Amino acid sequence: MERIKLSIHHLHKLVAGEKVAANATARIYAGDQLIVVEEMQGQTAWYDRYIHAKDDNGQPLRVEWDCDGDASMDVSRVEVCSCCGGDESLHG
């Protein structure tokens, strides 16, 4: 099954020189159409989210985000296992 993979390369903010959790809102577009809004909070160095987007029109994807710290993300379409939805830990 096809899903949208939101790859969060990093998400954090600096407080007194230390990395701490940050808040971010990612807006995923297919062409010019907004198809998904994802809210996230935390601190990560690489994390993938697999998202079902019922309004995906097949156009090229892009992601824009707002963050109260520092973040980097990208987005793509991927085929994932129908039984786990991309969470391979469910196979173990």
Side-chain angles (χ1 to χ4, degrees), residues 47-75:
Y47 182 76
D48 293 330
R49 285 188 177 196
Y50 295 91
I51 305 163
H52 175 71
K54 63 181 179 178
D55 296 329
D56 186 2
N57 59 21
Q59 300 244 345
L61 295 174
R62 66 183 166 84
V63 61
E64 298 177 359
W65 60 88
D66 296 313
C67 180
D68 66 353
D70 188 31
S72 176
M73 304 177 200
D74 66 40
V75 66

Side-chain angles (χ1 to χ4, degrees), residues 11-84:
L11 173 64
H12 65 267
K13 62 182 172 184
L14 292 176
V15 175
E18 297 289 325
K19 291 181 182 179
V20 298
N23 298 300
T25 302
R27 292 173 305 285
I28 300 171
Y29 295 85
D32 291 333
Q33 180 181 346
L34 176 64
I35 58 170
V36 176
V37 176
E38 282 285 302
E39 301 283 334
M40 59 203 81
Q41 177 182 17
Q43 176 186 345
T44 188
W46 189 277
Y47 182 76
D48 293 330
R49 285 188 177 196
Y50 295 91
I51 305 163
H52 175 71
K54 63 181 179 178
D55 296 329
D56 186 2
N57 59 21
Q59 300 244 345
L61 295 174
R62 66 183 166 84
V63 61
E64 298 177 359
W65 60 88
D66 296 313
C67 180
D68 66 353
D70 188 31
S72 176
M73 304 177 200
D74 66 40
V75 66
S76 61
R77 288 184 185 90
V78 294
E79 287 291 324
V80 295
C81 175
S82 62
C83 71
C84 70

